[in-house]
Amino acid sequence: MKLSLAIVAFALAIPSATYAQDSTAVSKGEYPNTFSSGSANVSPFTNQSKRFNDWSISAGVGVPLLQSADLTSIKNGNGKNLFGYSAYVSIDKAITHAFGINLQYDRGETRQGWFNTKDSAPDATSPAGRTQYDAISILGDINFSNLLRRVDNHSPYRWALHGYAGIGTIAYRAYQKDINGQRLMTEVKPFQLGSMFMQAGTGLKFKVNRRIDIEGRLMYVVTGDDEFDGGGDAYSAINRKSEQVSDNFFNATLGVSLKLGKHESHVMWHDPLQEIYYKLDVLANKNQDIEVCKKGDADNDGVCDDWDRQLDTPAGARVDGAGVALDTDLDGVIDLYDKCVTVPGPVENNGCPVATTGPVVETETKLEGIEFDLNSDRILPSNTPILNNAVNYINSSNGSYSVIGATDTRGTDAYNQKLSERRANNVKNYLIKNGVQTGKLQAVGKGEKDLKYPECEPATKCPEWKNRANRRVYFEAK
C-alpha cells in the first residue's frame, strides 16, 4: 500500500494538536450556575486554563510473527521461525490522566511458511509466503499505572504500564512461493468491509525526560482474513491445513514518544491524587494565625461585632446567632425582663397578661389534663396550653394553691412517691418561671394514693388511657 495512507492519517489529526488539561482559573462572575458544580472556583475549560501537555507523536519498529494461520512464522507445525519487519507512527491524545486515544499507521511485512521467500524452495511440499501490509487504526489507551496507583506511593513515577485496544482498516498484498516460483495470491484494498481488523496489547513506558518516552509494546493483530498468510483462496490445499478462519499475528515493537506542548508535564504522567495530598501536607505544615472578632464584641454577648445586629444587648440577655436579644413570646419584652416568658403580655405589665375581670369559666379553674409518660416527669408539649391557662388564672386570683403530683400503680410505693414529687415540682417551677409568685404555690406528691380511677389497682385491670389519666398533676386551692 502507498505511503499516502500515513499522510491522510496525519492530515486528519495535526490541526487539533495544541495544548492540555485541567483548570484552576478563578470565576469571573458568571459561575457558578445551574450547570456547574456549585464551586466558586470554576471557569470555562480553555487552552489558557490548561496546565498539562496532552498531545504526543510516537514511532517505533518491530518484528511481526504470524501465529495463527495455515503458514506461520513460528515453528509449530505450519512453518519454521521466520522474522519479518514492522514500523508504526501515531498521534496520541490524552483525554484524562488514565485514558487517551491514538490514531496509528502501521506498515510491515510478515514472513511465514517453510523457508524464506528470498531463498529457493527446498521441495514441492514446502511452500512459503510473505505479506506486505499497511494499516490505519484508532486505539484506546488505558494508563493502568495511573489508574491503580496508590495514594501513599511517593516513589519516582518513571514507569507506566499501558493497555491498548482498537479497530481499523488493513490493506495487504500476500505472496506465495514454491518450486514453481513466487506469485501474488491475494490483494486487499483499504477502507472496505472485508479490510477491517482489530488489535490489542500492552506496552511498558519509561519516562526519559519531560519530552521523551521510550516504550516496548506487544500487540496481537486479528486480521479476520484466512488469506492473509499467502495461502490463496479459502478452499486451496494450503488453507485447508487449519480450521481457523482468521490469520493473526504478534507484533513486538520498540518505540519512542515525543510529547508536545508548552507545559512542564504531560497529563499521562500526572497523578491528581498525589497533587491533592501534597497540597494537604503543605496546608498542614503551614502556621496561620487566625484572628477572631477583629472589631471585638462591645456588648459581650458572644457575637462578634462584625455580624452583631444589636451592639447594645443588655448584660445577661440570651441572644440569637445575629446577636439580637431573645423574645420567646414575641410580646416586645425581651426574655431578660419578661416575667411571663412564654405568655404574651403588654410592656406595662412586664410581659405578663393583664388580669381578667368578670366570672371565671369553670373549665379554667379545673386545670386538668396535665399528664405524663410512664416513669417520666418531663412536661409534655401538649401540656403547655393548660399550664399557660394556670398562669393566667393563678395570677388573677388572690389565693394560693397546692400543685399535686400523682402516679399510676406500677412500681413500688417509695418510687411512685418520689416520682409524684418530681412531677409536682417541675410544674411548680414552670409556673414560677412564667410569672407566678413563689408564695402562691406549694408542691405536694401523693404517689399512687390519689388515683383518678381507683379501680386501676393493679394497673393491668384498666386500659392504658385510664392509667395515663392517673399519671397527672392537678391544682387545689388552699
Side-chain angles (χ1 to χ4, degrees):
M1 186 179 184
K2 296 182 180 180
L3 191 59
S4 58
L5 283 177
I7 298 174
V8 171
F10 279 106
L12 289 173
I14 287 178
S16 57
T18 50
Y19 301 113
Q21 204 83 346
D22 201 18
S23 170
T24 57
V26 178
S27 173
K28 297 181 179 178
E30 67 270 24
Y31 294 89
N33 55 42
T34 306
F35 309 102
S36 76
S37 65
S39 170
N41 188 33
V42 295
S43 69
F45 185 62
T46 63
N47 284 337
Q48 288 71 31
S49 64
K50 294 176 181 178
R51 296 193 293 123
F52 302 99
N53 300 324
D54 54 3
W55 286 96
S56 61
I57 296 176
S58 301
V61 296
V63 177
L65 296 171
L66 207 58
Q67 174 265 338
S68 176
D70 300 286
L71 296 175
T72 65
S73 306
I74 304 172
K75 190 175 182 180
N76 66 348
N78 293 330
K80 66 177 185 178
N81 296 331
L82 297 173
F83 302 100
Y85 65 87
S86 66
Y88 74 88
V89 61
S90 68
I91 297 175
D92 312 326
K93 166 68 175 176
I95 307 300
T96 71
H97 70 293
F99 178 73
I101 295 178
N102 303 343
L103 179 63
Q104 182 167 303
Y105 168 69
D106 290 271
R107 184 180 181 88
E109 179 178 293
T110 64
R111 294 171 183 165
Q112 56 273 354
W114 301 97
F115 63 94
N116 194 320
T117 54
K118 295 182 180 180
D119 303 329
S120 300
D123 55 60
T125 62
S126 302
R130 67 183 178 93
T131 306
Q132 297 173 339
Y133 66 89
D134 296 88
I136 294 177
S137 58
I138 296 177
L139 300 176
D141 176 4
I142 297 179
N143 186 342
F144 288 111
S145 294
N146 244 344
L147 193 63
L148 305 175
R149 183 170 166 82
R150 288 173 57 100
V151 297
D152 57 350
N153 184 354
H154 297 286
S155 59
Y157 188 26
R158 301 184 71 88
W159 292 93
L161 180 66
H162 288 246
Y164 302 95
I167 61 174
T169 179
I170 189 169
Y172 68 87
R173 293 168 62 89
Y175 299 88
Q176 184 184 124
K177 187 175 182 179
D178 54 22
I179 58 174
N180 296 318
Q182 179 173 272
R183 57 195 177 278
L184 176 64
M185 301 300 293
T186 308
E187 182 174 10
V188 173
K189 301 292 186 181
F191 304 110
Q192 297 179 7
L193 182 61
S195 70
M196 300 298 292
F197 81 104
M198 298 181 295
Q199 62 175 326
T202 186
L204 184 62
K205 280 191 176 182
F206 176 73
K207 181 181 179 181
V208 178
N209 54 43
R210 61 180 290 263
R211 288 293 182 191
I212 302 295
D213 294 340
I214 295 176
E215 180 180 22
R217 287 189 194 177
L218 180 62
M219 303 293 291
Y220 190 70
V221 181
V222 179
T223 67
D225 192 336
D226 194 23
E227 302 178 15
F228 183 85
D229 60 355
D233 63 75
Y235 300 101
S236 68
I238 293 178
N239 276 340
R240 288 200 299 268
K241 288 184 176 182
S242 298
E243 295 181 357
Q244 63 264 24
V245 296
S246 175
D247 296 336
N248 308 329
F249 63 92
F250 286 104
N251 192 15
T253 60
L254 181 64
V256 61
S257 295
L258 174 64
K259 292 168 283 190
L260 308 176
K262 63 181 180 179
H263 301 286
E264 184 67 25
S265 179
H266 191 278
V267 69
M268 276 288 193
W269 289 103
H270 178 68
D271 183 2
L273 288 176
Q274 284 293 325
E275 182 176 5
I276 292 172
Y277 276 82
Y278 170 74
K279 290 180 178 180
L280 289 176
D281 290 341
V282 171
L283 291 175
N285 295 327
K286 186 176 182 180
N287 294 323
Q288 289 184 329
D289 296 328
I290 302 175
E291 185 178 358
V292 180
C293 287
K294 291 183 179 181
K295 295 183 180 180
D297 181 11
D299 52 9
N300 198 31
D301 61 356
V303 179
C304 298
D305 291 348
D306 293 318
W307 52 84
D308 196 334
R309 293 174 56 194
Q310 188 180 67
L311 296 174
D312 57 350
T313 304
R318 295 184 302 158
V319 298
D320 59 18
V324 178
L326 294 178
D327 178 12
T328 302
D329 53 13
L330 302 177
D331 60 0
V333 181
I334 64 174
D335 292 353
L336 180 67
Y337 302 135
D338 199 331
K339 298 300 184 182
C340 302
V341 176
T342 61
V343 183
V347 176
E348 296 78 11
N349 199 37
N350 295 322
C352 288
V354 178
T356 58
T357 59
V360 178
V361 181
E362 182 182 4
T363 56
E364 294 179 347
T365 64
K366 289 184 178 180
L367 301 174
E368 295 181 347
I370 307 174
E371 299 175 352
F372 293 82
D373 290 334
L374 181 64
N375 294 333
S376 174
D377 58 8
R378 182 177 68 90
I379 296 175
L380 300 172
S382 59
N383 294 331
T384 303
I386 302 172
L387 293 174
N388 290 339
N389 285 338
V391 172
N392 295 334
Y393 177 73
I394 294 172
N395 282 338
S396 65
S397 171
N398 293 324
S400 58
Y401 296 85
S402 296
V403 183
I404 301 173
T407 69
D408 61 19
T409 58
R410 281 172 284 202
T412 64
D413 291 346
Y415 175 81
N416 287 335
Q417 178 62 34
K418 292 181 180 180
L419 179 59
S420 65
E421 292 172 0
R422 293 201 306 271
R423 288 173 175 171
N425 280 308
N426 281 355
V427 172
K428 174 186 174 183
N429 293 337
Y430 179 92
L431 298 176
I432 293 173
K433 183 178 179 181
N434 286 277
V436 176
Q437 296 177 8
T438 306
K440 284 190 172 186
L441 301 175
Q442 179 184 4
V444 178
K446 292 189 177 182
E448 60 182 65
K449 299 175 183 178
D450 185 18
L451 299 175
K452 186 174 182 178
Y453 294 99
E455 66 270 20
C456 298
E457 175 64 44
T460 54
K461 289 185 176 181
C462 292
E464 181 57 26
W465 67 268
K466 285 189 176 182
N467 289 319
R468 186 176 184 86
N470 284 334
R471 303 192 297 267
R472 73 197 191 283
V473 165
Y474 62 95
F475 298 87
E476 280 186 358
K478 297 173 65 176

